Amino acid sequence: MFKHILIATDGSELAERAAAQGVGLAKALNAKVTAITVTEPWTALLAGEAAIAFPVDEYDRGAAANAERILGATSEMAKKQDVVCATAHIKDQFPAEGIVAACKSHGCDLIVMASHGRRGISRLLLGSVASKVLAHARIPVLICR
């Protein structure tokens, strides 16, 4: 059935539960996993001198450290279940676009992700990232709540 599952995670509690579902499914299907997290492009929210207070290189270092922590947790989860797991930090993309692009570039045949992540509950049933992935992905998407 599915041979290569893409697990998209932002490290939130709900995303970790979705990752556990994805790893469990991979174990049951003898599939491999690629776990990804996406870092949005750095943008200055303030104009002028205030924007200098948070330089791009600090943002990049913080994003890389956060991605390493998030992906390490999913990788360890897969390792405990003897599931082959690659990881990828997708940089400078918006989450939905990064997830869909990573799916294509890694040759995945299923996306597993949470219904919503750190962005709060802007929608009651389905987050905006999950909605966009559903709209643009050309493969099945498993949304976990």
Side-chain angles (χ1 to χ4, degrees), residues 53-132:
F54 194 68
V56 176
D57 59 334
E58 286 183 38
Y59 173 79
D60 288 341
R61 280 194 302 274
N66 192 45
E68 186 176 330
R69 179 188 56 78
I70 291 168
L71 295 172
T74 305
S75 181
E76 187 62 31
M77 186 186 313
K79 184 179 179 180
K80 287 179 181 177
Q81 293 195 42
D82 294 322
V83 172
V84 174
C85 179
T87 61
H89 176 196
I90 310 302
K91 301 175 188 176
D92 298 325
Q93 290 196 26
F94 293 101
E97 290 84 0
I99 292 166
V100 172
C103 182
K104 290 177 187 175
S105 68
H106 291 278
C108 299
D109 52 12
L110 174 68
I111 299 170
V112 176
M113 63 185 297
S115 58
H116 57 276
R118 294 179 192 226
R119 296 204 169 233
I121 49 174
S122 61
R123 294 188 186 181
L124 292 177
L125 298 175
L126 197 61
S128 61
V129 173
S131 293
K132 289 176 185 175

